[in-house]
Amino acid sequence: MSSGDSVVARLVFQRCAKAKLVLTEGEPKDESDFVLINEGLLVFIAFLGDITPKLQKLVNVICTTQICEKDGKYVSILDFPCDVILIPQFCLGGRLKGKKFQYHSIVSKEEAERYFNLINDGCSNFAALHSHWASSGHRIYAGTYGIRQNLIVHIRALCLSVFFGYIEMIEITANDRLGKKVRVKCNPTDTIGDLKKLIAAQTGTKWDRIILKKWYNVYKDPVTLADYEIKDGMNLELYYK
Amino acid sequence: MSSGDSVVARLVFQRCAKAKLVLTEGEPKDESDFVLINEGLLVFIAFLGDITPKLQKLVNVICTTQICEKDGKYVSILDFPCDVILIPQFCLGGRLKGKKFQYHSIVSKEEAERYFNLINDGCSNFAALHSHWASSGHRIYAGTYGIRQNLIVHIRALCLSVFFGYIEMIEITANDRLGKKVRVKCNPTDTIGDLKKLIAAQTGTKWDRIILKKWYNVYKDPVTLADYEIKDGMNLELYYK
């Protein structure tokens, strides 16, 4: 599951007939302490990277994916129209290792809260532009970030869908000993061979003449950057055959 | 998310404080028409490949992953101990393409039903071996395969986890024009370069002298089998430089 590590967000969609989410820690006291929706969509979200370059895409996925069933057809929440509750859920960012889920890949609590607010604002603004939805009185609700999520869900026809959203681009620099510096953007799932082709496009050399090293380690063409743990901002040594 | 395509099963774990799953199509009439559990675990499952070689591993994941919270520690359903409901959920096998989830990767309804029963029997048998769990009166329940899942879930501290389980091995044959035939097992995430090394180990030639072709298509080393859509049972042409 290496590709799960390099995406910026994991989303789980759960259609519901009715849902009630508590917005406070502890038991709700009055109506302002919870959200109650009827037919609608729950979106559980975890963040594993910087979503800002992909924010609009993620908003589109939430607002325009045809996931609600109406008269035997699949339509978006805007066309249904219905309510949505966005629920922060860091557990979703976990990766099973042995008998435990590990959470090394998720972003910090502060970052995740900021991204969650960006998604929430993005969806609300996007949905508001659709007059059919906006005039229907429906809303995009959001759970409270950082509390234990306490909810009750009624499901009539379960449809649980996952979306692992967008591979994070990383920037790699390569330096030869003569002062030439090349900067390329690539995906962690790219291989060293792919990276060499991107470098070759800038240096004008043939890609198969390029050697990439770090200390005494010579990187091999078929292996991915993720497998070599080559991360954003890393600097590699560039040689020629 | 190419790796999502080559796994044999997708599981979503949802801890619950209480859950009620209807076992019949339509409204339940009496107690035998639904399952009701208190604190426990819901496991939603979709099948994308032949799970039989990985059945015991999947059973272990369900029964022994430390996913339930007890006195601030994470323990398995066996150590908690608690009930489990296994819920067939083909939607989970979907892949977002444009605005729609597509379900090309899931196995047939008959296969999925068979795998679901294997998982259910496997978990029940495995759990029964644990005297602490067995004597606690808890059970592994299963939803009814093939109906619309109708359920009510009460969640006190949401913990929704995903597990995409086990890459399916595929078998590739390579034939040279002289009647030599090589059969290798590999992963869809392997590159052509990896495949050449596996072939080289059998033919005794150097891997970088191998050329793999299909019709006029020469396969390139850094590309994965999945990206070339090379599937189980495919036959490639083997040449030497």
Side-chain angles (χ1 to χ4, degrees):
Chain A
M1 271 272 311
S2 61
S3 76
D5 284 329
S6 53
V7 302
V8 295
R10 291 184 177 179
L11 278 67
V12 169
F13 298 97
Q14 189 163 39
R15 278 179 358 213
C16 67
K18 199 162 139 182
K20 180 180 169 178
L21 176 71
V22 179
L23 299 175
T24 54
E25 199 81 76
E27 284 307 303
K29 288 184 197 73
D30 60 46
E31 281 199 8
S32 67
D33 287 349
F34 60 85
V35 170
L36 182 66
I37 68 169
N38 288 307
E39 196 146 25
L41 186 68
L42 307 181
V43 184
F44 303 94
I45 314 177
F47 301 104
L48 295 97
D50 179 10
I51 65 154
T52 46
K54 300 292 183 184
L55 178 60
Q56 197 50 53
K57 279 196 155 190
L58 287 167
V59 166
N60 285 347
V61 166
I62 294 170
C63 294
T64 69
T65 298
Q66 292 160 5
I67 201 169
C68 301
E69 210 176 336
K70 189 180 192 174
D71 308 328
K73 269 182 63 184
Y74 288 93
V75 298
S76 70
I77 56 120
L78 298 175
D79 291 332
F80 193 83
C82 64
D83 291 318
V84 176
I85 312 183
L86 306 172
I87 305 175
Q89 174 52 191
F90 82 90
C91 286
L92 258 188
R95 182 186 178 179
L96 188 63
K97 192 120 191 186
K99 293 192 194 311
K100 285 180 207 289
F101 276 95
Q102 293 187 340
Y103 300 95
H104 303 316
S105 306
I106 59 173
V107 301
S108 72
K109 223 176 147 172
E110 295 71 33
E111 272 179 286
E113 183 166 15
R114 192 165 69 81
Y115 297 150
F116 184 70
N117 291 334
L118 285 173
I119 292 265
N120 184 20
D121 293 346
C123 289
S124 298
N125 294 337
F126 185 85
L129 296 175
H130 291 74
S131 52
H132 174 57
W133 184 85
S135 64
S136 68
H138 289 290
R139 279 190 56 190
I140 310 283
Y141 295 97
T144 304
Y145 189 84
I147 66 169
R148 296 198 149 210
Q149 304 298 331
N150 177 330
L151 74 155
I152 299 174
V153 190
H154 292 244
I155 296 162
R156 245 196 315 262
L158 180 67
C159 185
L160 196 66
S161 303
V162 292
F163 174 66
F164 284 9
Y166 307 119
I167 287 172
E168 198 172 18
M169 295 283 278
I170 57 178
E171 196 178 70
I172 303 295
T173 50
N175 278 289
D176 65 13
R177 289 148 301 176
L178 308 166
K180 189 183 275 181
K181 190 171 179 174
V182 183
R183 186 172 280 139
V184 288
K185 286 225 173 225
C186 44
N187 292 318
T189 50
D190 286 342
T191 62
I192 294 293
D194 299 331
L195 177 58
K196 286 183 182 176
K197 284 169 203 161
L198 292 167
I199 292 171
Q202 287 191 38
T203 58
T205 40
K206 282 197 171 163
W207 78 271
D208 52 7
R209 287 197 48 227
I210 291 175
I211 299 169
L212 290 174
K213 290 171 74 169
K214 183 85 187 177
W215 304 101
Y216 291 102
N217 196 3
V218 178
Y219 294 113
K220 294 188 184 66
D221 290 346
V223 182
T224 67
L225 307 187
D227 287 335
Y228 272 132
E229 299 193 353
I230 295 174
K231 307 257 181 204
D232 188 40
M234 253 179 80
N235 186 28
L236 307 182
E237 297 157 27
L238 176 61
Y239 296 86
Y240 300 100
K241 273 183 211 173
Chain B
M1 269 283 307
S2 61
S3 78
D5 284 330
S6 52
V7 302
V8 294
R10 292 183 176 178
L11 279 67
V12 169
F13 298 97
Q14 188 163 40
R15 276 178 0 211
C16 66
K18 199 160 136 183
K20 180 180 169 178
L21 176 72
V22 179
L23 298 176
T24 53
E25 199 82 75
E27 284 307 302
K29 288 183 197 74
D30 59 49
E31 283 198 7
S32 68
D33 287 349
F34 60 84
V35 170
L36 181 67
I37 68 169
N38 288 306
E39 197 148 23
L41 185 68
L42 307 181
V43 184
F44 303 95
I45 314 176
F47 301 104
L48 295 96
D50 180 8
I51 65 154
T52 44
K54 300 292 182 183
L55 178 62
Q56 196 51 52
K57 280 195 158 192
L58 287 167
V59 166
N60 284 348
V61 165
I62 294 170
C63 293
T64 68
T65 297
Q66 292 159 4
I67 201 168
C68 300
E69 209 176 335
K70 188 179 192 176
D71 308 327
K73 269 182 61 184
Y74 287 93
V75 298
S76 71
I77 56 120
L78 297 175
D79 291 332
F80 192 84
C82 65
D83 291 318
V84 176
I85 312 182
L86 305 172
I87 305 174
Q89 175 51 191
F90 82 91
C91 286
L92 259 187
R95 181 186 179 179
L96 188 62
K97 193 119 191 185
K99 292 192 195 309
K100 284 179 206 294
F101 277 95
Q102 293 187 341
Y103 301 96
H104 302 317
S105 307
I106 60 173
V107 301
S108 72
K109 224 175 143 173
E110 294 70 34
E111 271 179 286
E113 182 166 14
R114 192 166 68 83
Y115 297 151
F116 184 72
N117 291 334
L118 285 174
I119 292 265
N120 183 20
D121 293 344
C123 289
S124 298
N125 293 339
F126 185 86
L129 296 175
H130 290 74
S131 53
H132 175 57
W133 184 85
S135 63
S136 68
H138 289 289
R139 278 191 56 190
I140 310 282
Y141 295 97
T144 304
Y145 189 84
I147 64 168
R148 296 198 148 211
Q149 304 298 331
N150 178 328
L151 76 155
I152 300 175
V153 190
H154 291 244
I155 296 162
R156 247 196 317 261
L158 180 67
C159 183
L160 196 66
S161 304
V162 291
F163 173 67
F164 283 8
Y166 308 118
I167 287 173
E168 197 173 19
M169 295 284 277
I170 57 178
E171 195 177 73
I172 303 295
T173 50
N175 279 289
D176 66 13
R177 290 149 301 176
L178 306 167
K180 190 183 274 181
K181 190 171 180 175
V182 183
R183 186 172 280 138
V184 289
K185 286 227 172 222
C186 43
N187 291 317
T189 51
D190 286 341
T191 62
I192 294 293
D194 300 331
L195 176 58
K196 286 183 181 175
K197 285 169 202 162
L198 292 168
I199 292 171
Q202 288 192 38
T203 57
T205 40
K206 281 195 174 166
W207 78 270
D208 52 8
R209 287 195 49 225
I210 291 174
I211 300 170
L212 291 173
K213 290 170 74 167
K214 184 85 186 177
W215 303 100
Y216 292 101
N217 195 3
V218 178
Y219 293 112
K220 293 187 184 68
D221 290 346
V223 182
T224 67
L225 307 186
D227 287 335
Y228 272 133
E229 301 193 351
I230 295 176
K231 309 258 183 205
D232 188 41
M234 252 177 80
N235 187 29
L236 308 182
E237 297 157 27
L238 174 62
Y239 295 86
Y240 301 101
K241 272 183 211 173

